Amino acid sequence: MLNVVIFGAPGSGKGTQSIHLKDKYGLIHISTGDLLRAEMAAKTDLGKMAENYIVEGQLVPDEVVIGMLEDTIKKNPEAKGFIFDGFPRTLAQGEALDEILKKFGQEISIVISLEVDDEELIDRLLKRGELMGRSDDNRETIESRLKVYYNQTAPLKEFYAEQGKLVEISGKGSIEEIFASIAEAVDKVVAEKKE
Ligand code: B4P
């Protein structure tokens, strides 16, 4: 199985690149952000609870997203592998993901970290806010999402670097150029697995 974590600050292009990865490698794409927005749209209890955090730019509690992620993995027993987009976002989530995969005799194959400066991130998210009207793409919420990213999520880079799984890739440039760099790194891991 090929299990890819796509990592990066809000607006770094995780969702965009995940779609390309899914198409090229035939993986199941799990975006915890998309799952939470679907719950919000369906006005479920979980969705109503999550919305309070998302509009403030805060993370939804670990136990909620970890449970949601494990359920999605269980629903896809035939998967050739997964793309984890926007998960993990805390050290506790990173440790939980390792444990969940271990239950299935699996592990993370590679962690791609998309590197983009804050100015560009803010620009991209404000533009998406104008186009799509997402409730968290406004300046105030974007600023708290970035703070949360640096305080709670970025430390995971060290966690994966220690496991020898982290690959940092520039997330600036055209979507195709960035994807070519990602595919090069993933292909290397695929080739190593075959050896
Ligand atoms: P997400 O939906 O994951 O939102 P995000 O991190 O802000 O990234 P997103 O996927 O939207 O952006 P992308 O990098 O694709 O999460 C939303 C909220 O849900 C979180 O703030 C949190 O509250 C909650 N949540 C989700 N997962 C959680 C978890 N695990 N634990 C706790 N809470 C969780 O960037 C997209 C934008 O950039 C697009 O507009 C795109 O068109 C543009 N773009 C992409 N590539 C580009 C390029 N090369 N050049 C120019 N623009 C580009």
Side-chain angles (χ1 to χ4, degrees):
M1 255 173 123
L2 178 65
N3 295 306
V4 181
V5 170
I6 186 117
F7 189 87
S12 56
K14 301 182 297 289
T16 310
Q17 296 297 335
S18 291
I19 294 166
H20 291 274
L21 273 167
K22 174 180 180 234
D23 290 346
K24 182 169 164 87
Y25 298 97
L27 306 173
I28 302 283
H29 173 204
I30 307 180
S31 156
T32 40
D34 286 350
L35 291 172
L36 291 167
R37 280 185 290 277
E39 297 282 344
M40 277 157 59
K43 299 198 186 315
T44 62
D45 288 343
L46 194 159
K48 284 182 207 158
M49 182 273 287
E51 191 160 17
N52 296 322
Y53 293 92
I54 290 177
V55 296
E56 296 292 330
Q58 297 302 316
L59 297 180
V60 175
D62 283 339
E63 59 277 17
V64 175
V65 270
I66 291 170
M68 216 172 61
L69 183 104
E70 187 162 8
D71 286 349
T72 313
I73 293 179
K74 281 190 190 143
K75 279 185 200 147
N76 289 282
E78 305 295 327
K80 284 164 64 184
F82 295 94
I83 303 161
F84 299 104
D85 162 9
F87 187 98
R89 265 177 153 97
T90 62
L91 205 50
Q93 291 181 20
E95 287 164 353
L97 181 57
D98 283 351
E99 286 304 311
I100 294 167
L101 290 175
K102 214 190 269 174
K103 284 192 215 164
F104 297 94
Q106 294 298 325
E107 61 173 11
I108 299 291
S109 314
I110 184 169
V111 177
I112 304 280
S113 175
L114 293 173
E115 305 294 325
V116 180
D117 55 84
D118 286 4
E119 204 182 323
E120 167 99 14
L121 293 171
I122 294 169
D123 246 31
R124 286 183 188 179
L125 294 173
L126 285 175
K127 258 188 216 134
R128 184 173 65 185
E130 281 166 23
L131 288 170
M132 322 272 285
R134 231 172 86 165
S135 61
D136 55 348
D137 284 341
N138 60 75
R139 189 172 286 277
E140 202 185 329
T141 309
I142 293 167
E143 279 168 9
S144 51
R145 283 156 73 194
L146 282 175
K147 271 197 202 122
V148 165
Y149 171 75
Y150 290 114
N151 290 333
Q152 300 189 49
T153 307
L156 272 164
K157 280 169 74 170
E158 190 58 35
F159 176 74
Y160 287 118
E162 279 168 11
Q163 295 187 18
K165 292 185 174 161
L166 184 76
V167 178
E168 291 180 290
I169 286 179
S170 167
K172 282 187 86 167
S174 76
I175 289 166
E176 293 72 23
E177 277 164 1
I178 299 163
F179 185 64
S181 305
I182 295 176
E184 198 181 318
V186 173
D187 285 343
K188 216 168 135 199
V189 166
V190 172
E192 281 165 10
K193 271 176 166 270
K194 281 191 186 143
E195 275 169 15

